[in-house]
Amino acid sequence: LDEAATSEIASFACGLASDHAAVAAALTEPWSNGQTEGQINRLKTLKRQMYGRVNIDLLKARLVAAS
């Protein structure tokens, strides 16, 4: 981090340093929210694609087809 603090990625290194506890926990804990975050991302992507289109029935059809 000290070396990165004086390079082009200084803001990234500063963010890692300020969130040191969270970064350490993410690297050492055996569990993750990855599966949940992936499902939320998939749902939000579908909602963005459907914005301004017909109605809720079409969105439901897309969700069922995507699963």
Side-chain angles (χ1 to χ4, degrees), residues 3-41:
E3 203 173 304
T6 59
S7 70
E8 295 175 355
I9 58 171
S11 63
F12 177 71
C14 181
L16 281 181
S18 67
D19 243 359
H20 181 73
V23 172
L27 296 173
T28 58
E29 295 295 328
W31 49 269
S32 151
N33 282 353
Q35 186 67 26
T36 304
E37 294 297 332
Q39 295 297 329
I40 291 169
N41 184 35

